[in-house]
């Protein structure tokens, strides 16, 4: 006898998607789903935030039209598949939901508790978290086997990787469904067991942190540190440039999770990183980080 509230079989077509968070990651996630033919509801805490995300999607698609990647009519079709809503109650008909809110455990817990109230018990609930334990989020909902991580990379329309993160409770059907959806989006999925920082951030954030320590100790200039990693290690951008691109607050949040979970001093955040976050120098999004972006 099938389990009550079982996850839909992988063969069942998912067409209705919900995305929570219209910021840097959320609007990109909504865009790639809409481009792939899914009907997407985009939610955030206020209509103004959602409108901001929709404007960024419109701008991204307009650039694609200019570069002849899509036509004007294709752009309008994609936009027509996006529906803004500030009310999570409107997610009652969503078969698959991706949460992309602030990288704060309490914020994400509030969202998952609400989703458990409004969504069907067979709806799959995914988190775009870059470091927070999926197992802890899954424990908040009924039928926790339907919860997993679906970690995209910024900018979402460009980057091909998706980390599928399996919590302790995640069912094989949930993982398989997210794998298939990732392929439909034109992404390359990799499977990861729930562990702090997963693969990507467990490796890259300590590297960024060590670059910040190197700068803090006056060993080299920021330009030279980045040049060494670009020309010596063939990285597309240096670690300090990357920190500015990701957001220094996000880097700090991930390091805090790594340090808390592993209790290992190698994950201790550089004091300079903490100081810059306190000053509001968060990188490109605030026009100032390790580099000055005032002219952008």
């Amino acid at each position: 006898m099938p389990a009550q509230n079982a996850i839909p079989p992988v063969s069942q077509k998912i067409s209705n998607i919900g995305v929570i968070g219209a910021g840097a990651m959320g609007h990109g996630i909504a865009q790639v789903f809409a481009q792939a033919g899914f009907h997407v509801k985009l939610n955030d805490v206020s209509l103004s935030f959602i409108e901001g995300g929709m404007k960024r999607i419109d701008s991204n698609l307009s650039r694609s039209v200019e570069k002849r990647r899509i036509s004007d009519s294709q752009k309008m079709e994609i936009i027509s598949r996006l529906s803004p809503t500030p009310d999570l109650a409107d997610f009652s008909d969503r078969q698959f939901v991706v949460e992309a809110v602030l990288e704060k455990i309490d914020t994400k817990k509030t969202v998952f508790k609400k989703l458990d109230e409004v969504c069907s018990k067979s709806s799959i609930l995914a988190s775009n978290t870059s470091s927070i334990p999926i197992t802890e989020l899954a424990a908040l909902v009924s039928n926790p086997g339907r919860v997993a991580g679906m970690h995209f990379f910024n900018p979402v329309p460009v980057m091909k990787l998706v980390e599928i993160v399996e919590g302790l409770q995640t069912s094989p059907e949930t993982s398989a469904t997210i794998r298939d959806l990732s392929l439909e989006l034109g992404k390359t999925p990799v499977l990861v067991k729930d562990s702090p920082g997963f693969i990507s951030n467990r490796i890259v954030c300590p590297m960024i942190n060590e670059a910040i320590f190197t700068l803090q100790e006056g060993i080299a200039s920021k330009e030279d540190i980045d040049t060494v990693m670009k020309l010596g290690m063939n990285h597309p951008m240096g670690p300090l440039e990357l920190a500015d691109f990701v957001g220094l607050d996000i880097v700090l949040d991930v390091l805090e999770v790594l340090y808390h979970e592993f209790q290992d001093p190698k994950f201790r955040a550089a004091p300079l990183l903490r100081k810059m976050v306190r000053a509001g120098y968060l990188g490109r999004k605030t026009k100032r980080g390790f580099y000055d972006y005032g002219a952008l």
Side-chain angles (χ1 to χ4, degrees):
M1 179 179 291
Q4 188 177 13
N5 299 326
I7 301 300
V10 179
S11 60
Q12 178 175 319
K13 177 66 177 175
I14 288 177
S15 57
N16 296 323
I17 305 293
V19 178
I20 306 171
M25 296 298 291
H27 85 273
I29 295 169
Q31 177 183 325
V32 296
F33 270 110
Q35 283 182 221
F38 296 91
H39 297 280
V40 183
K41 286 183 179 178
L42 180 59
N43 167 271
D44 211 315
V45 293
S46 73
L47 196 55
S48 64
F49 285 167
I50 304 171
E51 289 171 348
M54 293 292 291
K55 287 178 181 177
R56 294 173 75 173
I57 293 172
D58 187 89
S59 178
N60 290 343
L61 295 175
S62 292
R63 283 196 295 273
S64 291
V65 171
E66 291 169 6
K67 295 178 180 178
R68 300 183 183 277
R69 293 172 181 161
I70 62 173
S71 65
D72 276 311
S73 61
Q74 287 174 316
K75 173 189 170 181
M76 296 311 296
E77 287 175 10
I78 294 167
I79 293 293
S80 73
R81 290 193 284 268
L82 289 158
S83 303
T85 175
D87 190 352
L88 269 184
D90 291 335
F91 276 35
S92 60
D93 63 343
R94 299 295 92 179
Q95 298 163 285
F96 188 90
V97 178
V98 182
E99 166 274 310
V101 301
L102 293 173
E103 192 69 359
K104 303 290 185 184
I105 184 65
D106 290 341
T107 303
K108 291 184 184 294
K109 283 183 174 181
T110 298
V111 168
F112 270 82
K113 288 176 182 177
K114 182 64 176 178
L115 287 174
D116 193 44
E117 293 175 7
V118 303
C119 293
S120 164
K121 300 309 179 187
S122 63
S123 298
I124 294 177
L125 309 179
S127 176
N128 182 58
T129 180
S130 55
S131 61
I132 290 171
I134 296 300
T135 299
E136 189 168 355
L137 296 176
L140 300 170
V141 307
S142 54
N143 193 10
R146 62 193 173 125
V147 178
M150 189 178 192
H151 181 213
F152 292 85
F153 291 77
N154 191 27
V156 177
V158 176
M159 301 296 280
K160 294 296 185 182
L161 181 65
V162 170
E163 286 182 320
I164 301 172
V165 187
E166 291 185 321
L168 186 63
Q169 315 93 317
T170 304
S171 72
E173 293 81 7
T174 295
S175 296
T177 299
I178 297 177
R179 178 204 63 214
D180 290 353
L181 285 174
S182 299
L183 293 172
E184 286 192 59
L185 299 180
K187 305 299 185 185
T188 299
V190 296
L191 192 62
V192 187
K193 295 300 182 184
D194 191 15
S195 180
F198 315 135
I199 298 173
S200 57
N201 283 302
R202 181 168 177 174
I203 295 171
V204 78
C205 285
M207 180 194 72
I208 291 172
N209 196 43
E210 197 60 34
I212 299 170
F213 270 117
T214 303
L215 178 65
Q216 177 183 298
E217 293 166 15
I219 294 171
S221 68
K222 57 181 180 287
E223 293 86 0
D224 286 348
I225 292 168
D226 281 342
T227 297
V228 165
M229 297 306 292
K230 286 188 288 187
L231 301 186
M233 308 301 170
N234 204 29
H235 290 193
M237 65 174 70
L240 301 176
E241 291 177 278
L242 180 58
D244 280 354
F245 183 77
V246 172
L248 272 63
D249 54 335
I250 302 300
V251 174
L252 180 58
D253 284 343
V254 174
L255 286 168
E256 298 281 40
V257 169
L258 291 169
Y259 184 77
H260 174 75
E261 292 292 327
F262 288 116
Q263 295 291 299
D264 190 327
K266 74 179 181 182
F267 297 115
R268 178 177 63 89
L272 177 59
L273 174 61
R274 293 187 185 280
K275 188 178 295 184
M276 293 184 71
V277 170
R278 287 170 182 156
Y281 301 158
L282 307 183
R284 284 180 172 266
K285 61 188 172 185
T286 59
K287 306 295 186 184
R288 182 172 179 180
F290 290 106
Y291 294 90
D292 188 350
Y293 305 93
L296 292 181

